[in-house]
Amino acid sequence: MTDMDKEKDIEHPVESTTEKVSAAPRDKKIAVWIAVLLAVVAWVVLLWGNGYVALGVALVACAAGFWGAAGNENAMRRLATAAIIAAMVLVVVLAAFLVVLKIGLG
């Protein structure tokens, strides 16, 4: 075996010029926007509708926000956090109001 044959047998690793970008799945980004929309809808329902329905919509918005925040980049995670906070404020206020009405005045 000559030196040339030995060099041919050596495998040279090929460096890839493309970077691996960890992009979040599209459904996670949609979940964040759904959480934002549901948080706003929950407040609108509270203004012009039923408190129980607003409480339910806010809980769904929280769930969508938590699901969307997992595995997203910083901008979408911040937006999901804002939607969770907006929905959780509504949940806490309505839950406290319902506890006072049901237990305190019951």
Side-chain angles (χ1 to χ4, degrees):
M1 218 177 207
T2 66
D3 289 334
M4 289 297 277
D5 291 335
K6 290 180 184 177
E7 287 181 14
K8 288 180 184 176
D9 290 338
I10 297 174
E11 293 182 17
H12 296 287
V14 178
E15 294 182 16
S16 176
T17 58
T18 59
E19 296 179 10
K20 292 183 180 179
V21 178
S22 61
R26 184 150 177 84
D27 60 344
K28 295 278 187 169
K29 289 182 182 181
I30 290 174
V32 173
W33 287 109
I34 288 173
V36 171
L37 180 70
L38 286 175
V40 172
V41 167
W43 281 97
V44 170
V45 167
L46 180 65
L47 289 174
W48 290 306
N50 190 352
Y52 292 110
V53 176
L55 184 64
V57 173
L59 288 173
V60 172
C62 289
F66 281 121
W67 188 63
N72 267 325
E73 68 271 3
N74 286 337
M76 283 290 134
R77 188 174 296 146
R78 288 182 186 132
L79 186 62
T81 303
I84 291 167
I85 290 171
M88 284 304 291
V89 166
L90 184 66
V91 168
V92 168
V93 169
L94 283 176
F97 184 70
L98 290 172
V99 165
V100 167
L101 284 180
K102 295 290 182 181
I103 295 174
L105 300 176

